[in-house]
Amino acid sequence: MELIFKKSDLQIIFDHCLASVPNEACGMLGGRDGRVEKAYCMRNAKPGPDYYEMDPEEQFRVMKDIRDSGLKMIGLFHSHPMSQAYPSSVDVNQAYWPGTQLPNYPDVVYVIVTLMNRAKPVARGFSIEEGKVNEVTLTAV
Ligand SMILES: [Zn+2]
């Protein structure tokens, strides 16, 4: 599995993550066929250095914009200001409706940006399915 970004979109994501330090930043990715066409930088409604939650109203507006643009929500991103780019146990739990194995967003790629080196943010992608984490290759073009 692979997710393709425009370099400019990746930079928009990195800038948003850096601007939100020391807290986590989050956003959504609209695209099609494994290509990100639009990165949406969003508000962290419950900001913390190891936590994020999207604002439901903003999420609704972004999902509508994605649909209106003829795209699909193909990914979510958030930052880890002080830890590696790998899903935390909270991230894995949040991929499901509480208490179930039903994915919140089937077939999305979870992109995590680590800011451990502020001068050089690194993004990695993952699928979270049935509680299992698998890496998805991110390519910038
Ligand atoms: Zn996380």
Side-chain angles (χ1 to χ4, degrees):
M1 220 177 152
E2 185 184 27
L3 197 62
I4 299 167
F5 285 82
K6 284 174 276 186
K7 281 190 182 124
S8 53
D9 281 336
L10 209 50
Q11 194 56 52
I12 287 168
I13 292 169
F14 288 163
D15 288 346
H16 179 56
C17 292
L18 286 165
S20 303
V21 167
N23 296 319
E24 290 195 359
C26 58
M28 286 180 155
L29 304 170
R32 63 166 79 83
D33 303 327
R35 279 181 174 269
V36 175
E37 301 289 350
K38 203 166 170 187
Y40 295 84
C41 297
M42 293 166 68
R43 195 166 74 82
N44 184 348
K46 289 196 181 157
D50 52 8
Y51 194 76
Y52 79 96
E53 210 172 282
M54 289 177 179
D55 173 70
E57 275 180 35
E58 186 179 22
Q59 215 172 333
F60 183 82
R61 281 199 307 274
V62 167
M63 300 276 269
K64 186 177 183 307
D65 191 78
I66 289 173
R67 275 198 310 275
D68 289 350
S69 309
L71 304 172
K72 285 169 106 176
M73 205 271 278
I74 61 172
L76 296 164
F77 73 88
H78 75 281
S79 62
H80 283 178
M82 290 170 303
S83 59
Q84 60 172 322
Y86 195 83
S88 66
S89 54
V90 174
D91 293 333
V92 175
N93 284 333
Q94 282 190 339
Y96 300 96
W97 289 103
T100 74
Q101 283 289 303
L102 294 171
N104 268 326
Y105 304 105
D107 304 322
V108 300
V109 177
Y110 290 83
V111 173
I112 301 179
V113 177
T114 178
L115 303 173
M116 288 173 82
N117 178 353
R118 297 277 153 80
K120 196 179 182 303
V122 175
R124 288 172 71 190
F126 303 91
S127 66
I128 303 175
E129 276 161 19
E130 294 172 13
K132 287 195 191 68
V133 174
N134 287 301
E135 183 138 21
V136 173
T137 305
L138 302 186
T139 305
V141 293

